[in-house]
Amino acid sequence: MKTVFKVPQSLTGKEWHYCPGCGHGIIHRLIAECMDELDVREKTVGICPVGCGVLAYEYFNCDMLEAAHGRAPAVGTGLKRVLKDRVIFTYQGDGDLASIGMAEIVHAASRGEKISVFFINNTVYGMTGGQMAPTTLLGQVTTTSPYGRDKDREGYPIRIAEMLAPFEGAAYVARVAINTPANAARAKRAIKKAFETQLNGAGFSLVEILSTCPTNWGLSPVEAMQWLADNMIPYYPLGVYKDKEGR
Amino acid sequence: MARVLMKGNEALGEGAVIAGCRYFFGYPITPQSEVAEYLARRLPQVDGVFLQAESEVAAINMVYGGSAAGARVMTGSSGPGLSLKQEGISFIAEAELPCVIANISRGGPGLGGIQPAQSDYFQSCKGGGHGDYRLIVLAPSSVQEMMDFALLAFDLADRYRTPVLIMSEGMLGQMMEPVQVREPVTERYEKPWATTGCINREPNIVNTLHLLPTELEDRNQHLFSKYARIAAEEKRAEMVMTEDAELVVVAYGLLSRVVKKAITEVRARGVKAGLIRPLTLWPFPDTHIQKCLDTAKLFLTIEISMGQMVEDVKLAVNGRVPVEFYGRIGVIPSPQEIERAIMAVAERGGLA
Amino acid sequence: MEKQILVAGFGGQGVLSIGLFLTYAAMSEGRNVSYVPSYGAEMRGGTANCIVTIADDEEISSPLTETPRDALILNRPSLDRFEERIQPGGVLIINTSLVDREPQREDLQIRQLPLNEMADKIGAPRSANMIMLGAYIAFTGIVDMTAVLDGFEDIFKGRKSATIERNRKAFLTGVEYARNNW
Ligand SMILES: Cc1ncc(C[n+]2csc(CCOP(=O)(O)OP(=O)(O)O)c2C)c(N)n1
Ligand code: SF4
Ligand SMILES: [Mg+2]
């Protein structure tokens, strides 16, 4: 039988600072379980974003760095070029990766940088209090799109998985969600594949994870999961967008 | 018009609107985000544009474009965001494009924290980007001044064709005070240099490249003759009880109000203390400082930093009397703490 | 005369709105006023406090202080943190629903009331803060009662009238309590 509440070795077990029902905690756990199962904790270096995940160094029980806003893929590149046999991952929000850090992520993907990127899409800037993100949906109200995101004013939401998959350097790109146990199980498989892709030296890997921000969405944790299913998945379809190793 | 209760960040945003600014390009960062959020609601109501850029680097370059087009344009940020803007600010200063930049500051270095700090003084006043240039830097100390300095900043920017930076502690942005809302500014400056399309005129060029050595030096001479004019005309400071002051305290921003309170207490204890509060951090009001040298036996600079403005105070005092420093980071010290600090310095200096 | 009032409690207890109401009322009386909310690392949950400075004519110099004249204390950690700092002779009002010890100071005007029980009793559990506000104003007369009551409509602009009524009722409950018991 699975003991559900056992803390993975790759987590410190420290209590989350995240809001109740926030997706970050769930995703940390999935990543840590994969690190345990692949037995890579001691050879892994993780990179925190600037965003609610900035304190991830408190939670992952491996070497961790904190990067400037959006620059994690560049920092990861530096690490990986020095430490070829280590496992490098970045953990980035949608503001961090798809807005200010767009240049870094595009070039890390195009270089086929052998790092794994976990991209947490919660459609808002969580940490700074719910501003618009590049992934904010059309019509969605945020503190900086107070009249609802409008295509003529704020433009269209960006689909990162679809955008990066065509890059030749990208070896594994998938989009998953954490709104149901079944989806979380799929998310975990994708995270594991991303690590394996890196371990096999196949190239760049990225998993976009649809997550929740109940606080800034103004919803209860349960409502937030439903909102994800009803609004995010239709615009951000789940699936594997690239798998070079063809598994 | 009646007084309205406003947050500092809102007063700054509304001040920009009153000054005729219709374009704000920004990127969220605490504790500045409320300026952006206020203008995201407000600007569409007056046919203006609020645009959340993909980064501070992009935002400042949007300002470069908007200003070259002849409009009153603004951006705002804090800490790491201001660092990212420096390349753009250097270009804007060289191209002599008027604009207003708000730094609702936080503590660094690195990601630091969102606690109050004045540790961006060097960055703001000593050229944060590359090359020889200056910004006009204003330091408001009340919610009313957040509004009024926005008006002043846009005026100075257009008058001198230069970027103006408003520097406020994060806490001033969060505070609420009644504000006398000003009348909309209707005066506009001619901008014959703007790149708006050359209908019936020769093309305009906005450019910062000067490959010829003589041309490069000429440009710098030109900029610095303008800066000399600004320095001659725009130094501003509030002087509090300095006429007979033996101990002159120098402090700016919200902190200066706390110091003012401490000074009145210290006076009651028999120390002849006074306060110089720079309103312009650049040009630095060195002349105001020098005016106090007849009575001053000692200067004390108080900052929420490890000591930055104190260097300018020392330059102004030029060795004539000692200059002491008291600083904290991440907190605005209470009047009581400052009173203790002033008394300690007064006692050491034999003035108490 | 400058008066500085500290309001302190948990985040979510409506501490900041107590301060806002006072600020608003003082402004509408034409006085100078300044409101500083706690801010900084205390992001979500945790403690909340604010300082309101009210002056009759003079400009407000420092909006901050270590030593407020009055303190409205809504929970135990706030009492532990701030009791020592209140100015001698000042007013200390304590929410006994969430403070399980007696205050130590003997040089203050101390008044106590069980805010949360009182709020539950009038069916307005989320308006306990307004009871505190009413009691404090009735006790000290620091601002004019009608100025506060007039402010309700403005401050709650856009909210449901039931919400406004609930808060007004809570406020008056506090006023009455202070008048009858203090
Ligand atoms: C250069 C710079 N600009 C802005 C910020 C402020 N900032 C902190 S977190 C954040 C956005 C976080 O949003 P996201 O990446 O979506 O992460 P989330 O909190 O939603 O998980 C921003 C803009 C910063 N720290 N540095
Ligand atoms: S603000 Fe949103 S993303 Fe951040 S911890 Fe809270 S719920 Fe999670
Ligand atoms: Mg996000």
Side-chain angles (χ1 to χ4, degrees), chain A residues 69 99 131-132 143-144 147, chain B residues 27 37 41 52 54 56:
Chain A
H69 196 22
S99 194
Q131 293 83 9
M132 190 184 77
T143 59
T144 51
Y147 304 106
Chain B
Y27 187 78
E37 290 169 356
R41 291 191 302 275
Q52 182 176 312
E54 67 269 31
E56 292 86 351

Side-chain angles (χ1 to χ4, degrees), chain B residues 188-200:
Chain B
R188 289 288 178 275
Y189 288 78
E190 292 289 317
K191 299 185 176 178
W193 44 263
T195 48
T196 52
C198 59
I199 304 165
N200 295 326

Side-chain angles (χ1 to χ4, degrees), chain A residues 24 50-53 69 93-97 100 122 124-128, chain B residues 27-30 56 80-81 84 106 111:
Chain A
H24 278 304
V50 173
C52 282
H69 196 22
D94 37 33
D96 194 79
L97 181 142
I100 194 169
N122 59 8
V124 287
Y125 286 28
M127 180 176 222
T128 41
Chain B
Y27 187 78
I29 187 165
T30 312
E56 292 86 351
L84 283 178
R106 55 192 249 169
L111 204 48

Side-chain angles (χ1 to χ4, degrees), chain B residues 27-39:
Chain B
Y27 187 78
I29 187 165
T30 312
Q32 175 270 168
S33 297
E34 283 155 336
V35 180
E37 290 169 356
Y38 182 83
L39 290 170

Side-chain angles (χ1 to χ4, degrees), chain B residues 77-291:
Chain B
S77 193
S78 185
L82 252 298
S83 298
L84 283 178
K85 287 186 196 294
Q86 296 305 324
E87 177 199 52
I89 293 174
S90 167
F91 276 66
I92 287 171
E94 210 293 330
E96 295 189 272
L97 295 175
C99 67
V100 174
I101 303 153
N103 180 1
I104 311 298
S105 62
R106 55 192 249 169
L111 204 48
I114 59 175
Q115 295 88 344
Q118 297 179 324
S119 37
D120 296 344
Y121 181 94
F122 283 156
Q123 185 198 57
S124 313
C125 300
K126 307 282 174 187
H130 58 286
D132 265 329
Y133 71 91
R134 295 290 189 181
L135 306 178
I136 297 179
V137 182
L138 306 177
S141 74
S142 66
V143 177
Q144 182 72 58
E145 282 184 351
M146 288 290 258
M147 176 173 286
D148 293 352
F149 283 20
L151 273 65
L152 175 63
F154 276 104
D155 186 68
L156 291 173
D158 277 348
R159 183 148 17 121
Y160 293 104
R161 282 190 63 182
T162 189
V164 177
L165 189 137
I166 298 177
M167 185 148 102
S168 137
E169 299 95 335
M171 190 183 274
L172 183 52
Q174 301 296 316
M175 271 175 58
M176 291 181 99
E177 290 179 331
V179 172
Q180 191 72 55
V181 178
R182 305 299 177 192
E183 293 298 323
V185 175
T186 48
E187 189 196 359
R188 289 288 178 275
Y189 288 78
E190 292 289 317
K191 299 185 176 178
W193 44 263
T195 48
T196 52
C198 59
I199 304 165
N200 295 326
R201 64 160 167 75
E202 289 299 301
N204 282 337
I205 294 173
V206 171
N207 170 40
T208 68
L209 175 69
H210 307 291
L211 285 176
L212 291 174
T214 49
E215 187 184 310
L216 180 67
E217 189 166 18
D218 286 350
R219 271 305 289 175
N220 276 274
Q221 293 291 4
H222 166 74
L223 285 178
F224 271 71
S225 63
K226 174 172 86 176
Y227 297 148
R229 214 154 24 92
I230 298 174
E233 286 164 28
E234 306 297 345
K235 287 175 189 167
R236 288 157 211 241
E238 181 190 349
M239 314 285 280
V240 183
M241 295 183 279
T242 48
E243 299 77 17
D244 63 342
E246 295 179 342
L247 197 171
V248 178
V249 183
V250 189
Y252 66 93
L254 177 59
L255 172 69
S256 71
R257 288 171 62 181
V258 187
V259 173
K260 202 190 279 184
K261 169 103 177 180
I263 297 258
T264 43
E265 301 295 331
V266 169
R267 278 256 166 189
R269 294 169 68 176
V271 178
K272 284 192 183 159
L275 166 71
I276 298 179
R277 174 204 155 206
L279 310 187
T280 50
L281 299 182
W282 197 90
F284 187 73
D286 49 3
T287 41
H288 295 72
I289 288 189
Q290 281 146 8
K291 267 187 218 139

